[in-house]
Amino acid sequence: MTSTLLRGRTLSFVSWPETIDDHSAWRYEEDGGLLIRDGRIIAAGAYTQVEKQAGEAAKRIDHRPHLLLPGFIDAHVHFPQMQVIASYGAELLDWLNTFTFPEETKFSNAQHGRRIARLFLDEMVRHGTTTVAAYCSVHKASAEAFFAESHDRNMLNIAGKVMMDRNAPDGVLDTPQSGYDDSKALIAQWHGKGRQLYAITPRFAITSSPQQMEMAGALCREHPGLHMQTHLSENHAEIAFTRELYPWSRDYTDVYEHYGLLGKKSLFGHCIHLSEREADALSDSGSVAVFCPTSNLFLGSGLFDYQRFRRRDKPIRIAAATDVGGGTNYSMLRTMDEGYKVIAQNGEKLNPFQSFWQMTRGNAEALSVAEKIGTLDEGTDADIVVLDARATPAMRLRMETAETLAQELFLLQTLGDDRAVREVYVAGRAAKTDMAI
Ligand code: GUN
Ligand code: ZN
């Protein structure tokens, strides 16, 4: 079996970097090597050491002076919204009704779903993202298209068809029974096939009837290892409508709590306007709040309080995500740049090591997949991004005065995008291609 030996400046995280000087939180090799075989990293460290373990036949690829990091992870994104991104002039509920739901009706056509799934994964990889937690449309065929494409590429992706049976056009509605049956069939067909993972996906409380929420809870009980993903507390009008629809609930989080949807594999997009009680409920259950800064800014939804959630007595697990097409960019670099600004609005800072931890190991931990992805540790899957901090003239110029790794990372986050992504490896295979429309 042939192996591949990558050479470059390797960076991988061990733990949350409390400060910019917390060197124990990461492993950095100025001249690093990664030996890859059968899609896995089998040796990592100083190049001279790793090289000794590579046979004569190993394919050698020299990426110096670029950085090699674990592939980025996007913890919340809607693949059917590639032609919704950049839709002007609305807040969440109007945006859904005016742009998003009509667009998602097109995914009743399986061929359309296959085309967009292919272009979506091309585009994610082109931006350095090797794993997503994706929402498909309500149509079973959209999830089949997504998983088929993901499986063909041997990507580790988490996805599910959205369950939604009210408050949207007929073309994007299922029923409690069909939503349950389709989800069940997709789980049987795709969960655990190669690297594919299924997420039970009730879209949000507004578009699911109480009967459908019951069914979503039943699916979670019947499949306790699966992820559950939904939206929570994004926008004031959404919160008010949810209260009308579930008048018995103590608050928005209580709706999901009531149906048994909180837990360590539960991913809640947005979580902007949470009360202390709701934050406690997420923390107590080990649920994950997903920070979607470009989307939260674009839709005027509000400022996610990242540092408060981390520092409170009962901290909340946090992931970060693009939320395309509410989000405005496919890049996790662009996402964390906006995230930095949002956190600054709350009077706090996120240091560059914390940002890159979040995009890699942090998101892998939040998605409970850190034993497989999110680091460059030996034995993990070889999902790797190659970053060039001199990708554009402005970056090159700024790099003339960057003296430390922290400065280089911050420059990549602030000025970088797909142009800074030189190569991407998915399970050890070079995978970056231009999107072929
Ligand atoms: N809430 C329910 N559906 C959606 C969606 O597609 N995007 C965002 N941003 N919020 C939602
Ligand atoms: Zn979303």
Side-chain angles (χ1 to χ4, degrees):
M1 185 56 64
T2 58
S3 47
T4 307
L5 177 61
L6 304 184
R7 186 172 192 174
R9 298 162 55 227
T10 52
L11 176 64
S12 175
F13 291 92
V14 178
S15 58
W16 163 258
E18 200 59 60
T19 69
I20 208 159
D21 301 315
D22 185 4
H23 291 266
S24 65
W26 61 84
R27 291 202 189 101
Y28 172 66
E29 293 284 349
E30 187 72 33
D31 187 4
L34 297 173
L35 183 59
I36 299 169
R37 190 172 301 151
D38 294 334
R40 294 222 168 80
I41 298 170
I42 58 165
Y47 182 78
T48 49
Q49 293 305 311
V50 175
E51 211 266 342
K52 287 180 192 156
Q53 300 173 54
E56 283 289 303
K59 182 177 174 193
R60 287 158 163 79
I61 304 175
D62 191 347
H63 284 296
R64 288 176 299 170
H66 304 315
L67 283 164
L68 303 180
L69 274 84
F72 298 144
I73 299 169
D74 182 346
H76 179 127
V77 60
H78 298 258
F79 104 78
Q81 295 179 12
M82 290 191 89
Q83 294 178 313
V84 175
I85 191 170
S87 292
Y88 164 79
E91 292 201 349
L92 175 64
L93 299 180
D94 285 340
W95 176 84
L96 287 170
N97 289 317
T98 310
F99 306 112
T100 308
F101 293 153
E103 183 61 31
E104 291 193 13
T105 61
K106 297 178 187 162
F107 288 76
S108 62
N109 178 336
Q111 198 180 337
H112 180 68
R114 285 195 291 272
R115 174 174 186 245
I116 301 297
R118 171 173 60 81
L119 299 177
F120 176 79
L121 291 177
D122 279 352
E123 194 62 355
M124 296 312 299
V125 168
R126 222 173 56 71
H127 283 82
T129 295
T130 48
T131 289
V132 297
Y135 288 62
C136 304
S137 76
V138 72
H139 314 94
K140 186 170 173 236
S142 78
E144 285 166 345
F146 180 88
F147 280 122
E149 190 65 40
S150 172
H151 186 59
D152 275 357
R153 295 167 191 240
N154 202 13
M155 292 179 78
L156 193 164
N157 283 316
I158 303 166
K161 84 154 217 103
V162 291
M163 303 166 73
M164 50 193 293
D165 68 345
R166 65 169 171 180
N167 292 318
D170 286 347
V172 285
L173 292 184
D174 56 10
T175 67
Q177 192 62 47
S178 74
Y180 174 89
D181 291 344
D182 287 349
S183 301
K184 201 94 185 155
L186 287 164
I187 293 165
Q189 193 184 348
W190 289 107
H191 183 70
K193 181 167 179 177
R195 305 179 77 201
Q196 309 316 305
L197 298 172
Y198 195 84
I200 297 158
T201 310
R203 185 176 202 123
F204 68 155
I206 288 177
T207 49
S208 285
S209 64
Q211 295 86 326
Q212 181 159 72
M213 297 293 272
E214 293 278 3
M215 293 297 218
L219 284 169
C220 289
R221 281 194 304 281
E222 291 160 17
H223 303 278
L226 262 57
H227 290 89
M228 192 290 305
Q229 56 182 352
T230 189
H231 297 83
L232 171 62
S233 200
E234 180 173 1
N235 157 296
H236 291 298
E238 173 209 21
I239 296 166
F241 192 17
T242 302
R243 186 168 280 284
E244 276 177 41
L245 293 170
Y246 296 90
W248 47 262
S249 62
R250 286 174 288 180
D251 46 50
Y252 195 165
T253 303
D254 193 31
V255 176
Y256 296 128
E257 220 173 327
H258 177 84
Y259 294 105
L261 300 181
L262 272 54
K264 292 183 174 56
K265 290 215 162 166
S266 298
L267 315 172
F268 292 97
H270 305 287
C271 298
I272 299 169
H273 310 286
L274 297 181
S275 67
E276 288 301 309
R277 194 213 76 78
E278 292 179 281
D280 282 351
L282 292 185
S283 176
D284 289 343
S285 58
S287 299
V288 176
V290 187
F291 180 28
C292 307
T294 71
S295 172
N296 297 344
L297 293 173
F298 179 74
L299 293 172
S301 302
L303 306 176
F304 181 93
D305 211 341
Y306 187 101
Q307 298 292 23
R308 170 184 149 235
F309 287 162
R310 279 201 67 91
R311 287 212 201 96
R312 63 198 304 280
D313 288 343
K314 291 183 170 185
I316 302 179
R317 296 168 70 208
I318 297 174
T322 64
D323 191 32
V324 163
T328 54
N329 204 288
Y330 293 89
S331 166
M332 287 305 293
L333 297 171
R334 304 292 345 108
T335 298
M336 292 312 292
D337 177 46
E338 295 303 296
Y340 176 85
K341 298 172 196 172
V342 167
I343 292 163
Q345 284 295 310
N346 283 324
E348 307 263 8
K349 294 287 182 280
L350 196 66
N351 81 48
F353 290 110
Q354 292 167 341
S355 277
F356 279 79
W357 171 87
Q358 184 70 72
M359 289 180 242
T360 58
R361 186 180 186 125
N363 271 0
E365 287 180 1
L367 298 180
S368 304
V369 288
E371 77 287 356
K372 295 199 193 90
I373 58 168
T375 68
L376 301 177
D377 292 355
E378 290 168 10
T380 66
D381 299 349
D383 291 350
I384 295 158
V385 60
V386 183
L387 295 176
D388 176 5
R390 296 178 182 81
T392 70
M395 292 172 81
R396 220 153 33 241
L397 182 66
R398 179 62 180 87
M399 268 300 279
E400 287 180 6
T401 61
E403 288 168 355
T404 64
L405 178 60
Q407 289 169 358
E408 179 178 357
L409 292 175
F410 198 59
L411 187 163
L412 271 165
Q413 174 183 296
T414 308
L415 294 176
D417 51 29
D418 50 319
R419 293 168 296 179
V421 176
R422 291 291 285 246
E423 187 52 276
V424 180
Y425 295 89
V426 170
R429 275 221 306 262
K432 185 171 186 256
T433 55
D434 281 341
M435 185 165 74
I437 297 172

